[in-house]
């Protein structure tokens, strides 16, 4: 499971960094362009839910780029948990679900029927 940037204690920024579970570009394409500047800043720096910003290697972060769908690039062997967390972040911030993202919730329900999705709404 991915480590949250909110609780990470790693000290080597060149080897690890923080990445958005739902990329900034994906949020923008899903409606964040209509958010206020304050809402966009809060989303970009969200430490209120440990699933929003996750610790990843620099290599993994570069390979994912700004894909706007749950690519699974960071699922580290727990695809059900990854998709459940992705859904929770989408619901937390309530951007629209793009057509390229529509399969993720259905896939999660089919492949992971016992993976709960607990949501903490953004302030």
């Amino acid at each position: 499971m991915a480590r949250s940037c909110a609780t990470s204690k790693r000290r080597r920024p060149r080897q690890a960094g923080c990445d958005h579970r739902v990329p900034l570009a994906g949020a923008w394409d899903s409606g964040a362009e209509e958010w206020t500047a304050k809402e966009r800043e809060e989303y970009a720096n969200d430490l209120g839910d440990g699933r929003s910003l996750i610790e990843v290697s620099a290599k993994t972060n570069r390979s994912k780029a700004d894909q706007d769908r749950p690519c699974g690039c960071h699922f580290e062997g727990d695809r059900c948990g990854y998709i459940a967390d992705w859904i929770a972040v989408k619901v937390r911030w309530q951007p629209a679900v793009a057509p390229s993202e529509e399969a993720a919730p259905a896939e999660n329900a089919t492949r992971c029927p016992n993976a709960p999705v607990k949501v903490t709404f953004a302030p």
Side-chain angles (χ1 to χ4, degrees):
M1 176 171 257
R3 292 169 44 151
S4 167
C5 285
T7 59
S8 177
K9 301 207 182 329
R10 284 202 183 163
R11 303 276 188 233
R12 302 175 110 180
R14 290 183 187 180
Q15 295 178 353
C18 291
D19 192 26
H20 296 87
R21 175 81 60 181
V22 176
L24 294 172
W28 185 267
D29 293 343
S30 296
E33 77 274 5
E34 296 178 14
W35 294 351
T36 66
K38 184 177 186 313
E39 289 171 317
R40 289 193 299 268
E41 181 178 359
E42 288 173 351
Y43 177 79
N45 299 300
D46 183 15
L47 295 177
D49 185 319
R51 298 167 294 189
S52 294
L53 290 168
I54 56 173
E55 186 176 274
V56 296
S57 71
K59 179 181 177 184
T60 299
N61 198 20
R62 285 190 302 271
S63 72
K64 183 177 140 289
D66 67 352
Q67 294 181 26
D68 67 347
R69 57 182 165 60
C71 68
C73 301
H74 300 209
F75 74 86
E76 299 180 12
D78 181 12
R79 187 168 187 83
C80 293
Y82 174 87
I83 299 221
D85 289 350
W86 179 88
I87 292 167
V89 172
K90 288 289 275 194
V91 173
R92 174 175 170 76
W93 288 95
Q94 301 181 11
V97 175
S100 63
E101 301 171 328
E102 290 176 357
E107 177 184 335
N108 196 56
T110 301
R111 295 173 85 185
C112 312
N114 297 318
V117 178
K118 183 178 177 184
V119 176
T120 304
F121 288 96

